[in-house]
Structure formats: structure tokens, C-alpha cells
Amino acid sequence: MIRNNQTVSRLIELIAFIIAFIIISTCLMNALIVKGHSTEARMYDVYEGYAHNTDVLFIGSSHAGHLVGRNLWRDYGIAAYTIAGNSQPVDILYHSIVEFLKYETPKVIMVETALIPDDSMESPDTEYEGRIQNGAGFRYSSNYLQMVSEQIKNFNLPLKTEGIQLIYKWPLMHDRYKSLTKDDFVPDTPYFVSDTEPLYSVPEQEAQIVTSEERGPISDIGREYLDKIIDLCQKENVPLVLFHTPYPAPEITLAQQNTIADIAAENNVPFIDFNYLVDDIGFDVQTDQARDLNHLNLQGGEKITDYLGKYLLNNYGLKDHRQDPGYDTWNKDLQGWQTLQVKKSFEEAGSTADYAELLGNQYSNYVVIMTLSGDYFSESDGSIESVLGKVPVPQDFQAKGGTVILNHGNVLFYSADNATYAFSQKFGNAIVSVNRHIPNDEFISQQNAENNNDGIYIWNDNYIQNANGLNITIYDSDLDIVINSIGIDPCTGEE
Amino acid sequence: MFITYQLLFPLILLILLLEFIVPKKVRSIVLLALSFFLYYICGTAAFFILPAVGIISYVSTTAMNHTKTQTVKKIILVASIAIIVGLLLTFRYTSLKNMAPLGLSFFALEAISYIADCYLGKIEAEKNPLYVILYIAFFPTIISGPIERGGNLIPQFKRLDSIGRKELFDINRICDSAIIIIFGMFVKLVIADRLSSVSNHIFSEYYHYGTTVLIIGAVSFGMQLYCDFMAYSHIALGIAGLFDIRIMDNFKAPYLSVSITDFWRRWHISLSSWLRDYIYIPLGGNRKGKFRKYLNTFITFAISGVWHGSGISFIVWGALHGLFNMMENLLTDIGLMKKGKRNLPFGSRFLRAIVTFVLVDFAWIFFKADSTKTACSYIIQMFTVKDFWILSDMDKLFSLGLGVQEVMILIFGLIILGGMDYITYKHDLRVDSWLKIQGPLFRVVFTLAILLYTIVFGVYGETVDPASFYYMSF
């Protein structure tokens, strides 16, 4: 009887152990999983629900990523989500669609085809294998296991070493404890639905987009997964569109894309090869292609997106959701995109006068934190005064120094007569805080004083740039983006 | 341990399940098949040596059993031991040394002890060859011990083939065994493999460094070796326990020993007791006067050095321990050193533990260094080149193989290990028996904490093979 009780109690203990282990290890896996860059849409954000209500899934290589396509939402109200990886291998492409479909039900799937014929898939190197894992931040699931088992088979990975590590996943990612960032716990900009780093360059030499009637072979693995993608979309009853962005491709690439066009036709899948549509769209290689003569630049991306917007509305009955509830991600994405353009403008401001002008135009949209530190008053060229003149700071701020925080143009905090101070304000999940440890005149009198008397902290990073002068940090509290942070030297006026 | 854990543990669970399903009479056969399978797939050279040693053990003991004449028995004993020792020496000192089968040093000693015990009548020769071969080839002990005795294992194999399913699947025993394995993995992956970064770094570039760094290197290696070997022994013990086979504890907090004699009662216990029973006592032990006692001690440790490796440095290491033991015996005999530890006050025990650790750690330098010459250079540099200021130079201090974050992780691991060693030393409790006293809630929390700590902070992954253990090279 006692023995039976002991057994039952140990069994309960074991069950409790297993449950606790599963819960905690799932949380740990969430933190440690490779998430990709927060500057682009990623699978991790799909898991978090940010792709909810997606109309169109764009998926493929960096060619798809550089479509960017904000005008699809801005001009047509189409909610598109782009999962694009640098040289994304076709097997990952297929399993990414499977993974996406587990969480969302897009009305159309647009697959970009540049990498489908990739010959390197036949004999990938070790770098490729590494990329397989880093590129696919999949959660542990049957889809992940299926992908891994196919990789082991396709690439003859030894089960005793690489194979088993892929299967378990943990050995490949537990080391991330060394490099965890805020993004691993509170995702940075999870609302981005596409790449946020477009190309702005143009070709440096003359280039021409040509077409071909030839047919070229595509890799067996490419063909296998293309068939799988077609089957999957048919099975899931989601219309599939294949597309190939325009660029001055070599003859073999054109021929391979023609083969893909044939496969698409055999399966009644639309295939849009934009190399054949450049005249209709008004695509000019010299202005719409990036310097690498491979990817679209921002202008080219918007032209192609514009065409796709009309195409999708006309052929798939998509609706304009701009006024509909439930599309917060896309509104925020557009807002974020515009904020990034502002950020770019601040970074490109050529002079303090330009900066002051820009700040004067933008301060009412953001949180602006200004600290006059150290010997800021021995100003020689009036640059600090010119900047402060553009924002509604208290009149005596320049005389008294300290810190002013403007929240969308209104004074949220002013240190005024306080020689030392500390203040913090919570915006969403972020804490913005400012402080001064010792009175400024005492700080100035200290020789070799370290640059740590004043602080402008956002997510624990100190944005003070100059120990002496005016420090300005501009923060978008809605989107949690630090737009700009500069220090203006009182003597030189240099940022 | 044979293969990566990610394959080994599921395989063991599978076999455990199979043991439950198959008729009880074939359980040992399944275990033997698993043992040979693992031994084969780990890629050992000269695979056939293992079964051959098993067969020699069985044939010789059976022959002795059927012989009435003592002289013939003795001839069989000497011949069979000579063959096994011959194999050991051949694979250690001839051109065949690169072809040595994995774990030969361990299973050869097991075979010798079995044959000798049968000859001495301590145990009866086993009639079923399966049990004898399984005793030699039992997979948890094959690579790095513990060096088991036939008298302990063979009856347990027989019992395994007779007990009911309910007894085989005693959840308390299985959970306790799993805890022992988890603790072993924690010590190996979190502590030992982290320390190896420091010791490998310092020993490979010792010529750059002076006193402080070289002491750090020697201490790191001492701790690494202990953690690595103790972890293996725990994992082996836990795995055997899953199959209801109890093997001996190989370590009992050796670095808390108050003397070298005490140390050898706590370090690699299975080897120490083997050397005592089959070398020291047959040489006369302490029965033939003090001089012979000192000499026998010295010879026994010198042989221990030879067993560990083929280089002179191993003999020097063995001789050093022989010397330390002789000195200790001498000091005890003339009354300058108290014999037992029970009457020692804490302060004395503490100081003696430090002195013992320093002596043991000093000897480890010969164990780790590539050659005797390297070890001597290391020691000369350790005593002659000043670099104490490095303790104030954090950049240099944390560039010796581990950064600040890694050192913090290591310190937490060492605190847990130190606490567990203290409990073992003070109360003679192993991790599972100690947790039994603490109650189920603490047991769950503690086990979960060290398991998760190991999974996240363990040293394993793409570039590391955590399945290899230091003592596997012997």
C-alpha cells in the first residue's frame, strides 16, 4: 500500500516535471529562436499575429523583398505580406508557405521565381546548410521536421552529426544566449509587412532587358518543389501566381524562366515575367534598376507594385481595406515607412540649419528630448540657438540648461531650476528617461569628467552624444523607433 | 559517449521499452546486442578485441572450474592474464597504438579481476557465456569505467532476466536514475567543457604566461578532469540504473579530501580499489614491514601511471602520487600527521584539503602536458615568471578562454557542484538520495533548473562534440 502511494506520488511528480519542462522550454525556445531582421517582415511576426488578415502573400528571394510595395496598401488598400529571404532556397520557400498557411489564409499567393532553377541546390556547401537554419526562423513543428528530413535526404547530411542537430534544432540555437537583444523578447517594429531597406541606386552603365524564346533546364530539386508549391496551393484552394521581376538577366536565366512559364501553363497557374512587360509598365532600367543590375530600386519596385495592385484587384476580386478595422498592421507599416523616410531625411541633413528646419517641421509628430549639457553656453556660431528657435521650448531653457521633453509639441518635462533631476515616462512598452547626476557647473569644473553626467535613455541605451552642447533625441513613441539622435557642439556647431 | 546524446538517449529509451516488451529471459541478450551495436557504431578500431576478451575470460574461468589441479589453474590464470596484459601493452607501446580499441584499458582490467576472482574463489565461474561477455561489454562502463567486478554485475544480469515487469519498471528508480544522468550532463556540459576552453588555451600557449595564469590553467584542468570524469561516471551510473543495474560510485567529493590517501579513496574509486586488490595486496600490501609498504605503494602508483598512458609524463604523475603517499605514510608513522579526519577541527581539515588539492593539482600538470619536458617548462615558468597584476587587468583575465558572461555561468555551475560535493562529503549522499530527503517540490524545481540550465548554457552544438570524455583516451 505504502509502495503504491509512493509510486503514484512519484508519477504525479514526473507529470508535473514534464509539464513544467514543456512550458518553460517553449518560452525559452521563443526567446532563443533565430528571428531574422526586424527591418523586414518575418515568420516570427506571423507567429505573433501581425500578419492577420493578409490578402496576398508575396514570397521568394531578395527580388521579392525589393519590391517593397507600400503603394499596394497606400493606393489600393491591399493587405500584402512579404516573406523574402536573401537567396531563399526553394525548399525553404515551400515550407515557408506551409508555415504561413498554418496561421493565415491569404486570398492569393505570389511566388517570385528567380531562385527556383538554382543549380547550387544540387550540391550546397556548408554555408548553405547554415543559411537553411538561419533563414528559416520556424518554430518546432511537424512542418519543421518535414523540412529537415527532406534536407537530410536531399543533401545527404550525416544523421549522426549535422542531421541530428537539425532535427533537434536546440543545438543550433541554444548558443544565442550570448547575443540576445531586446528584439528577442519585445519584437522591434513587428508591424512591418515588407522590407524597409530599399535600394536607391541606379545602374552605372548602360543596360538592356532582353527576352528569349529558348528553354533551359531547371534543377531537379527546383522542379520538385515548384510542383509541391502548385499542389499545395491547389489543395489549400488558394490561387497561386508566379512572377519574375525585371532585370537584365543572362540568356540561361531567361531560358530557365521560360521553362517555369511552361510548367505554370501546364498547371493553369498564371506566370508574370516582367521582363516581357517593361514597355507596358514604363520600366526603365537606367532609372528603375539598382546598381547591381539585379534588384529593383525603390522607384522600380513601386512601378511593379502599381501594376500588381491593378492586376490583383482586377483578377482576384480583392477589396480596398484602408477604411476597414482589423488592418492595424498595414496602417502602422505605412506610418513606420513614412517615419523611416523622415529618419533618412534627418540623417541626410547637410547642415545645422537644414537640421533645424527639419526639426521645426517634424517636432509635433514625435517625442523630442533635448538636453543642454556641460559647457554649452560658450557658443560661438549661434547654431544651438537656431535649433532651439524652431521648437517650443520654455523661454529660459537656453539660459538654465537641463532637459526638456516635448511630446508632440507639448512640454512633458522641463528640469527648470533643478540642478539634478531624474524623470521617466512609459510609452507603450518603452521607458524614456532622463537624468542629471551632479549639477552642471560642478560637472564642468571636473577635469576629464566622463560623459555620463546626463542621460537620455530609451530601452536602456543612453543617447547622449556630446558631454558639452545640445543633445537632441527624436523618438516615435507610437512605433517605438528612435528617429534621430545628435549632439551639437557649442563651439563648432558640428553634429 | 559512443554517439551524440541526441541519438544515444532516444536509443536507450527505445531499448528500455524493448526490455519491457520482450520475454524476461532475453533481456540480457537485448542489452548485449545494444552494447555491441553502440560499440560498433562509435567507430572503434579493432572491434573484435572486446568480444575476444570476453571469450578469453569465459573460457579461462570455465577451464579453471573444470580443473582440479592447482598448478594447471595457476597456468591458466597466468596465461589468460598474460594474453590480456599483452594486448594492453601491444596496443599501448607498439605501432598498433593507433589501432587500439576504445575502452581497452577499462574492460581489460574488468576481465583480469574476473579471472583472478574466480581463481581465488571469491566468485564462482559463470556457466553462461552471455553474462560474462555482457559483464565485459556492458555499454555504460565500457568506455571510461567504472571498472566493475564480476561479482557485482553478473548476479544483477541474472536477476534482470528473472524479475517481473513491475519491478523492472520501478518509477522511483527510473526517475532517480534520470536525475543522476541530468546532474552528470550538467557537470559535463556546463562546467567541464567550459573549463576545457581555459585549460586548453593556457596549456597550449603556456609559454606566454606567468605564475597567475599558469596556476589558473592548472586549477582549471584539475577541475575540468574531475568534472568530466565524474560526469561520465554519473551518466554511466544513471543509464545502468535505468536497466536496474547498480554500478559503483566512482567519486565521492575527492577535492575535499584531507590527505592524498583520502583522495585516492574518493577519486576513481573503481581503479583505486582494483589496484589495491590486484596489485598492492598481491605485492604484500602492508604485511611485510614499513619499507615494503612504502615500496608497494610506490610501485602501485607507478603502475597506475603506466595504465593511464604511454608517455613518461604519466609515469612521473604516478610516481609523484606514489611519493606523496609514501611521505604521508611516513609522516603518519612518525606521528607528525594525524591519521583519521574525524578528530580534525574544521580549520585543520580546511587547510589539509587545500594542501591536498595543491599537491594533486600540481601532479595533474604532468597529466595534461604533451610531454614531461613541457610539464617541466610549465612548472618552471609558473614559479619564476611574475604576472600578478593580471588579476587587476580584467581584459586579459577574461581573454583566457572564457569571457565575463561565460565565467558567470561557470561560477553558478561550480556553486551547485561545490554544494553537492559538500553534501556527498559530509553525509555520503549522492544527488538522487539527497533530493529524496528534500521532498518532491524541491526535487522537481532543482532537477528542472539544472536541466534547463544545461540545455541553454551547455557547451554543445555545431562545432563541439560533447559526447567525448577525457578518460576515453586512456
Side-chain angles (χ1 to χ4, degrees):
Chain A
M1 186 64 183
I2 292 168
R3 196 179 157 79
N4 274 346
N5 284 344
Q6 275 181 348
T7 305
V8 170
S9 130
R10 199 69 196 260
L11 199 63
I12 293 168
E13 190 184 323
L14 179 64
I15 292 166
F17 178 88
I18 292 169
I19 292 170
F21 176 76
I22 290 170
I23 292 170
I24 300 174
S25 58
T26 305
C27 295
L28 282 172
M29 192 174 240
N30 242 359
L32 293 169
I33 197 168
V34 177
K35 299 174 181 71
H37 297 291
S38 60
T39 55
E40 60 196 20
R42 50 189 178 170
M43 198 55 81
Y44 182 71
D45 298 328
V46 176
Y47 295 140
E48 298 289 304
Y50 286 94
H52 188 53
N53 283 338
T54 295
D55 284 328
V56 186
L57 169 65
F58 279 86
I59 193 159
S61 70
S62 55
H63 290 237
H66 284 295
L67 261 179
V68 184
R70 257 79 203 183
N71 44 337
L72 209 54
W73 177 253
R74 188 187 63 214
D75 300 339
Y76 299 95
I78 295 174
Y81 202 86
T82 306
I83 300 280
N86 185 19
S87 301
Q88 187 179 64
V90 67
D91 55 345
I92 297 202
L93 192 155
Y94 166 74
H95 286 284
S96 296
I97 298 175
V98 175
E99 198 69 4
F100 193 87
L101 291 179
K102 276 160 57 181
Y103 293 84
E104 303 299 333
T105 47
K107 296 176 184 72
V108 185
I109 294 177
M110 304 277 305
V111 172
E112 187 275 326
T113 58
L115 264 286
I116 286 180
D118 191 7
D119 300 328
S120 67
M121 287 293 293
E122 300 296 338
S123 53
D125 53 20
T126 49
E127 192 189 339
Y128 171 82
E129 287 161 18
R131 209 170 63 220
I132 287 171
Q133 284 311 300
N134 290 330
F138 290 176
R139 279 184 181 162
Y140 205 79
S141 63
S142 57
N143 178 41
Y144 172 79
L145 282 175
Q146 181 65 33
M147 179 178 79
V148 163
S149 65
E150 288 166 15
Q151 285 170 351
I152 291 169
K153 182 173 149 272
N154 289 339
F155 310 131
N156 292 320
L157 301 178
L159 186 65
K160 273 166 73 176
T161 50
E162 285 106 315
I164 196 71
Q165 291 187 347
L166 281 172
I167 290 171
Y168 275 85
K169 207 171 196 291
W170 260 110
L172 299 173
M173 62 183 218
H174 81 105
D175 261 6
R176 287 202 69 242
Y177 73 83
K178 295 172 185 168
S179 55
L180 291 175
T181 64
K182 176 214 146 206
D183 184 45
D184 290 300
F185 300 91
V186 182
D188 290 333
T189 57
Y191 41 77
F192 282 137
V193 298
S194 179
D195 199 342
T196 57
E197 293 178 346
L199 298 170
Y200 294 96
S201 64
V202 290
E204 287 172 341
Q205 72 264 36
E206 283 285 317
Q208 206 176 0
I209 289 178
V210 292
T211 56
S212 167
E213 294 303 314
E214 299 294 316
R215 297 294 184 267
I218 65 172
S219 68
D220 289 343
I221 293 181
R223 174 68 204 243
E224 181 191 333
Y225 279 96
L226 180 56
D227 289 342
K228 280 185 164 192
I229 291 166
I230 292 169
D231 290 346
L232 175 69
C233 290
Q234 279 172 356
K235 192 178 141 220
E236 296 290 332
N237 205 20
V238 182
L240 170 69
V241 178
L242 302 175
F243 72 101
H244 185 229
T245 60
Y247 66 98
E251 184 77 22
I252 178 66
T253 302
L254 297 170
Q256 286 172 329
Q257 291 300 323
N258 286 339
T259 303
I260 291 176
D262 293 341
I263 297 168
E266 283 166 23
N267 291 280
N268 294 322
V269 171
F271 176 63
I272 309 171
D273 190 337
F274 283 98
N275 273 13
Y276 294 87
L277 295 172
V278 287
D279 293 336
D280 298 348
I281 295 170
F283 186 89
D284 182 350
V285 181
Q286 301 308 133
T287 58
D288 300 332
Q289 199 85 58
R291 187 187 294 128
D292 64 7
L293 287 174
N294 204 340
H295 299 96
L296 300 166
N297 64 20
L298 179 60
Q299 183 176 301
E302 290 197 335
K303 280 186 182 175
I304 301 296
T305 305
D306 193 51
Y307 175 89
L308 286 171
K310 295 186 185 96
Y311 173 82
L312 288 165
L313 283 182
N314 292 338
N315 293 285
Y316 295 95
L318 301 181
K319 288 178 186 158
D320 181 347
H321 293 297
R322 278 174 291 184
Q323 303 305 321
D324 296 345
Y327 291 85
D328 197 36
T329 296
W330 284 269
N331 286 323
K332 272 198 160 181
D333 170 75
L334 188 59
Q335 196 187 338
W337 169 256
Q338 285 157 353
T339 295
L340 292 181
Q341 302 305 305
V342 172
K343 183 181 165 104
K344 188 165 176 283
S345 310
F346 272 107
E347 284 162 3
E348 288 172 353
S351 64
T352 308
D354 291 345
Y355 185 90
E357 197 60 38
L358 202 54
L359 183 63
N361 292 334
Q362 295 291 343
Y363 73 84
S364 59
N365 299 321
Y366 306 111
V367 173
V368 181
I369 307 142
M370 287 162 285
T371 295
L372 285 163
S373 307
D375 182 13
Y376 65 87
F377 34 76
S378 61
E379 188 181 18
S380 55
D381 65 351
S383 54
I384 291 179
E385 194 176 357
S386 71
V387 173
L388 291 180
K390 297 286 184 184
V391 284
V393 291
Q395 281 188 340
D396 57 355
F397 176 49
Q398 195 169 1
K400 289 182 175 169
T403 295
V404 169
I405 301 177
L406 297 178
N407 184 9
H408 293 78
N410 302 313
V411 176
L412 176 70
F413 169 76
Y414 174 37
S415 57
D417 293 322
N418 297 312
T420 60
Y421 52 86
F423 173 81
S424 70
Q425 175 74 34
K426 195 162 183 278
F427 293 99
N429 282 321
I431 294 280
V432 173
S433 62
V434 293
N435 67 334
R436 172 164 287 172
H437 293 298
I438 58 172
N440 199 40
D441 44 1
E442 207 177 303
F443 172 70
I444 295 167
S445 65
Q446 287 179 1
Q447 284 197 334
N448 303 321
E450 286 183 24
N451 182 19
N452 63 359
N453 189 36
D454 289 314
I456 299 175
Y457 290 92
I458 301 171
W459 288 110
N460 282 329
D461 286 328
N462 191 354
Y463 286 91
I464 288 283
Q465 308 287 334
N466 274 6
N468 298 302
L470 172 63
N471 289 280
I472 305 176
T473 299
I474 307 165
Y475 174 63
D476 188 328
S477 56
D478 294 337
L479 302 173
D480 190 18
I481 296 173
V482 175
I483 294 168
N484 192 257
S485 179
I486 61 157
I488 299 174
D489 190 280
C491 300
T492 62
E494 285 175 5
E495 298 164 19
Chain B
M1 190 187 251
F2 300 107
I3 48 173
T4 176
Y5 300 116
Q6 292 126 9
L7 283 173
L8 180 68
F9 289 130
L11 187 65
I12 287 172
L13 285 179
L14 204 70
I15 297 296
L16 203 57
L17 207 65
L18 198 65
E19 293 277 49
F20 184 75
I21 297 164
V22 297
K24 56 186 175 187
K25 284 189 177 173
V26 297
R27 283 179 193 148
S28 289
I29 296 173
V30 172
L31 262 190
L32 185 63
L34 173 67
S35 298
F36 278 140
F37 172 71
L38 285 172
Y39 192 63
Y40 179 73
I41 61 164
C42 76
T44 179
F47 170 80
F48 64 93
I49 295 292
L50 176 72
V53 168
I55 291 166
I56 291 168
S57 305
Y58 174 72
V59 170
S60 59
T61 50
T62 308
M64 279 195 279
N65 208 25
H66 286 92
T67 308
K68 296 270 186 308
T69 328
Q70 193 59 25
T71 317
V72 179
K73 273 188 183 177
K74 203 165 195 171
I75 290 169
I76 296 170
L77 170 79
V78 172
S80 54
I81 290 179
I83 292 170
I84 295 166
V85 172
L87 278 172
L88 205 55
L89 296 177
T90 307
F91 280 111
R92 179 143 293 170
Y93 292 106
T94 69
S95 56
L96 289 174
K97 64 181 172 187
N98 294 329
M99 301 277 290
L102 211 58
L104 174 63
S105 304
F106 292 91
F107 65 75
L109 295 197
E110 288 186 334
I112 292 170
S113 72
Y114 175 68
I115 297 166
D117 284 355
C118 287
Y119 171 79
L120 294 168
K122 284 184 186 174
I123 55 170
E124 281 198 17
E126 175 53 44
K127 293 190 178 71
N128 188 341
L130 166 74
Y131 295 127
V132 179
I133 297 171
L134 180 56
Y135 157 65
I136 300 294
F138 186 46
F139 75 92
T141 63
I142 198 172
I143 290 181
S144 292
I147 301 159
E148 267 296 343
R149 304 295 174 87
N152 178 35
L153 279 196
I154 292 173
Q156 292 194 65
F157 295 139
K158 287 179 165 177
R159 184 177 165 274
L160 180 69
D161 284 351
S162 63
I163 57 173
R165 288 197 170 93
K166 203 173 172 186
E167 208 171 337
L168 180 64
F169 272 79
D170 176 1
I171 190 161
N172 282 297
R173 193 195 70 252
I174 289 177
C175 288
D176 286 344
S177 301
I179 288 172
I180 299 169
I181 294 171
I182 290 169
F183 188 71
M185 296 294 288
F186 168 77
V187 174
K188 163 72 175 160
L189 299 183
V190 174
I191 307 176
D193 288 352
R194 205 163 248 108
L195 281 167
S196 77
S197 306
V198 181
S199 61
N200 288 342
H201 174 84
I202 295 174
F203 271 84
S204 64
E205 295 181 11
Y206 74 94
Y207 40 83
H208 291 319
Y209 301 118
T211 308
T212 315
V213 174
L214 296 178
I215 288 174
I216 291 172
V219 172
S220 297
F221 177 68
M223 288 306 295
Q224 176 207 338
L225 189 66
Y226 167 52
C227 293
D228 190 278
F229 199 11
M230 182 270 253
Y232 181 92
S233 297
H234 266 69
I235 295 167
L237 204 131
I239 293 174
L242 292 174
F243 295 94
D244 202 12
I245 305 293
R246 288 174 185 80
I247 56 177
M248 66 170 85
D249 276 331
N250 221 5
F251 291 89
K252 285 187 178 174
Y255 285 153
L256 297 179
S257 309
V258 292
S259 65
I260 294 292
T261 322
D262 189 24
F263 173 79
W264 280 104
R265 279 194 210 108
R266 297 170 173 280
W267 174 277
H268 204 173
I269 297 165
S270 61
L271 176 67
S272 319
S273 59
W274 193 97
L275 290 168
R276 183 196 61 212
D277 293 348
Y278 304 102
I279 305 285
Y280 180 73
I281 291 174
L283 281 173
N286 55 5
R287 303 185 305 272
K288 295 187 177 177
K290 283 186 177 166
F291 175 75
R292 276 297 297 273
K293 178 185 157 190
Y294 299 153
L295 185 65
N296 291 342
T297 306
F298 187 82
I299 291 171
T300 305
F301 278 104
I303 289 174
S304 170
V306 173
W307 178 84
H308 277 89
S310 56
I312 305 275
S313 55
F314 287 104
I315 299 174
V316 174
W317 170 80
L320 272 175
H321 272 279
L323 209 63
F324 294 156
N325 261 285
M326 281 167 61
M327 294 294 291
E328 211 168 87
N329 284 333
L330 194 68
L331 289 172
T332 312
D333 288 344
I334 59 174
L336 286 174
M337 200 170 153
K338 279 188 182 176
K339 202 173 181 182
K341 65 172 186 182
R342 286 189 180 169
N343 302 327
L344 290 173
F346 172 78
S348 295
R349 260 193 285 174
F350 181 71
L351 280 178
R352 281 178 61 165
I354 289 176
V355 171
T356 307
F357 180 76
V358 168
L359 291 174
V360 169
D361 211 45
F362 178 79
W364 286 139
I365 294 172
F366 288 90
F367 208 82
K368 169 71 175 170
D370 298 337
S371 63
T372 314
K373 196 179 159 197
T374 307
C376 290
S377 305
Y378 188 103
I379 291 164
I380 290 167
Q381 212 147 312
M382 188 165 77
F383 282 113
T384 55
V385 180
K386 296 185 188 73
D387 69 341
F388 302 110
W389 53 88
I390 203 167
L391 290 170
S392 300
D393 189 339
M394 292 298 125
D395 288 344
K396 283 209 176 77
L397 201 59
F398 290 110
S399 65
L400 298 173
L402 292 179
V404 181
Q405 190 186 23
E406 296 295 300
V407 170
M408 298 299 287
I409 293 167
L410 178 65
I411 286 172
F412 177 78
L414 287 171
I415 289 170
I416 297 287
L417 175 68
M420 207 51 246
D421 266 10
Y422 181 75
I423 289 160
T424 306
Y425 180 81
K426 194 85 179 160
H427 305 291
D428 200 16
L429 290 172
R430 214 172 41 202
V431 61
D432 55 321
S433 39
W434 174 68
L435 285 173
K436 200 172 274 175
I437 302 168
Q438 307 309 315
L441 183 62
F442 182 81
R443 182 159 56 188
V444 167
V445 172
F446 180 86
T447 314
L448 200 57
I450 61 166
L451 175 61
L452 291 168
Y453 200 79
T454 308
I455 286 175
V456 177
F457 299 120
V459 179
Y460 65 100
E462 272 177 295
T463 52
V464 190
D465 177 15
S468 65
F469 285 84
Y470 203 88
Y471 256 70
M472 281 165 67
S473 52
F474 301 131

